[in-house]
């Protein structure tokens, strides 16, 4: 796969983020580039300047894992960035094509009933399943009520990135909109490296890049991120402010899917807000389907 532009921009952006002081090098007085020079990265990685120049021009074909690891150390990549660099190299070689399960369109994918049962067993917090494109594929009852704005968008399946950047309601739903926007793009960028043959993902990125300056700017930063855990703030249109902990884990029997659960601190106003939302949802079940809340 010809992903040389992606490789070049990723390596260049990582090099620009490291100061000479961070790399243990003298800063000097005349530096025409942000961060490190190519020659300095080459020295730190123990490769020739010409060879590193070849890598930064996007040519990773045939590069050994040892050299990739040396470059990762020189650029001080974290674990997610290291994995991203490896995925870029594998995609260029074509070595990942047979090893990776074929990506399926969300419009065609049928999730096992047991996965929905697992979601429905979670009753005290929103629980949902996403793929690497941030499609919201399934949720429990509280999750559907929690993400009512996304379900109301009319797009099937609802897409968290499309909501984030194209729906004005996202600015209310996410009080820390900029932070969540950064995280959303970082997850998409990671998926693009992990699964470069996903046409639906390419189409989504193209749409968002065309329609959102905020997305396009963030996409050009080449930052990457995995689902993990953390704290997020929300403003729900029914119950107001919530501060929730979130935890994500890969669905091992369904490659490419992530199960996420939002929970509130026991005894907190956010826990009471979730209880109120659950009660409100139950009272409206007979009047309207959950998907149309």
């Amino acid at each position: 796969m010809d992903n040389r532009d992606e490789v070049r921009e990723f390596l260049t952006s990582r090099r620009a983020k490291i100061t000479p002081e961070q790399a243990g090098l003298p800063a000097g007085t005349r530096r025409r580039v942000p961060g490190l020079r190519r020659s300095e990265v080459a020295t730190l990685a123990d490769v020739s300047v010409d060879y590193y120049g070849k890598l930064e021009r996007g040519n990773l074909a045939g590069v050994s894992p040892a050299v990739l690891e040396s470059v990762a150390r020189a650029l001080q990549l974290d674990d997610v960035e290291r994995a991203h660099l490896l995925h870029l190299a594998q995609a260029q070689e074509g070595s990942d094509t047979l090893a990776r399960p074929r990506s399926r369109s969300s419009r065609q994918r049928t999730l096992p009933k047991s996965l929905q049962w697992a979601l429905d067993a979670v009753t005290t917090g929103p629980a949902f399943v996403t793929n690497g494109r941030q499609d919201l594929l399934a949720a429990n009852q509280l999750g559907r009520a929690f993400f009512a704005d996304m379900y109301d968008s009319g797009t099937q399946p609802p897409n968290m990135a499309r909501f984030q950047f194209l729906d004005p309601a996202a600015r209310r739903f996410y009080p820390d909109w900029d932070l969540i926007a950064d995280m959303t793009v970082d997850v998409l960028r990671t998926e693009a490296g992990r699964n470069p043959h996903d046409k639906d993902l390419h189409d989504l990125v193209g749409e968002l890049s065309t329609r959102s300056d905020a997305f396009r700017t963030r996409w050009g930063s080449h930052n990457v991120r995995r689902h993990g855990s953390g704290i997020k703030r929300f403003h729900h249109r029914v119950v107001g402010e919530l501060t929730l902990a979130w935890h994500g884990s890969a669905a091992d029997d369904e490659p490419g899917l992530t199960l996420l659960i939002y929970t509130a601190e026991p005894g907190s106003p956010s826990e009471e807000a979730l209880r109120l939302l659950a009660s409100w949802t139950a009272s409206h079940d007979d009047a309207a389907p959950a998907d149309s809340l």
Side-chain angles (χ1 to χ4, degrees):
M1 177 180 179
D2 188 353
N3 63 352
R4 284 174 292 184
D5 288 345
E6 169 74 13
V7 172
R8 181 179 67 250
E9 292 168 9
F10 177 67
L11 291 177
T12 301
S13 67
R14 299 311 94 176
R15 176 164 61 87
K17 292 179 66 174
I18 305 174
T19 66
E21 292 83 359
Q22 289 172 325
L25 299 172
T29 57
R30 295 183 178 180
R31 303 190 70 86
R32 295 179 296 178
V33 296
L36 298 180
R37 300 184 178 102
R38 282 185 179 181
S39 59
E40 291 169 332
V41 176
T43 298
L44 293 169
D46 196 25
V47 297
S48 71
V49 176
D50 287 344
Y51 189 78
Y52 180 73
K54 169 192 169 185
L55 302 185
E56 202 169 279
R57 287 193 297 273
N59 298 314
L60 294 183
V63 178
S64 70
V67 169
L68 291 175
E69 180 59 31
S70 294
V71 170
R73 284 198 302 269
L75 294 175
Q76 300 182 14
L77 304 186
D78 61 26
D79 290 343
V80 180
E81 291 169 327
R82 274 183 168 87
H84 186 65
L85 179 61
L86 180 59
H87 288 144
L88 293 176
Q90 290 173 334
Q92 200 165 101
E93 290 276 9
S95 59
D96 65 334
T97 303
L98 296 177
R100 179 179 297 128
R102 183 177 179 181
S103 177
R104 287 174 283 175
S105 169
S106 300
R107 292 178 292 273
Q108 301 171 345
R109 186 164 195 168
T110 300
L111 300 182
K113 292 181 179 180
S114 59
L115 186 53
Q116 185 63 57
W117 297 340
L119 293 173
D120 292 339
V122 180
T123 58
T124 59
F128 55 102
V129 172
T130 66
N131 57 20
R133 293 184 295 271
Q134 297 295 280
D135 291 323
L136 185 54
L137 300 180
N140 64 355
Q141 183 183 53
L142 193 50
R144 291 190 293 273
F146 187 75
F147 291 119
D149 286 333
M150 292 187 206
Y151 281 98
D152 284 352
S153 68
T155 302
Q156 292 299 323
N159 181 271
M160 305 182 85
R162 188 176 285 111
F163 172 75
Q164 175 80 42
F165 289 99
L166 302 183
D167 194 325
R171 296 279 182 171
R172 170 187 52 79
F173 187 64
Y174 297 115
D176 302 312
W177 187 91
D178 287 302
L179 174 63
I180 305 303
D182 289 342
M183 295 173 64
T184 298
V185 177
D186 295 352
V187 169
L188 288 182
R189 175 63 80 175
T190 303
E191 179 67 8
R194 188 191 72 85
N195 195 2
H197 309 288
D198 188 336
K199 182 181 182 301
D200 287 345
L201 176 58
H202 283 282
D203 291 345
L204 175 64
V205 170
E207 176 191 0
L208 296 180
S209 296
T210 300
R211 299 178 61 187
S212 170
D213 291 339
F215 177 87
R216 185 167 56 251
T217 299
R218 287 171 169 82
W219 186 255
S221 297
H222 289 265
N223 295 327
V224 292
R225 181 192 299 264
R226 288 196 189 109
H227 285 296
S229 61
I231 303 291
K232 290 182 181 179
R233 295 196 305 137
F234 303 92
H235 182 94
H236 192 274
R237 68 191 191 191
V238 173
V239 297
E241 301 291 332
L242 303 100
T243 299
L244 303 177
W246 63 277
H247 297 270
S249 59
D252 292 336
D253 56 343
E254 289 290 326
L257 301 189
T258 300
L259 170 64
L260 295 106
I261 300 176
Y262 288 163
T263 56
E265 180 181 356
S268 68
S270 295
E271 183 185 46
E272 180 59 30
L274 285 181
R275 287 177 178 168
L276 177 60
L277 181 59
S279 176
W280 183 88
T281 302
S283 69
H284 283 72
D285 265 356
D286 292 336
D291 285 0
S292 62
L293 288 175

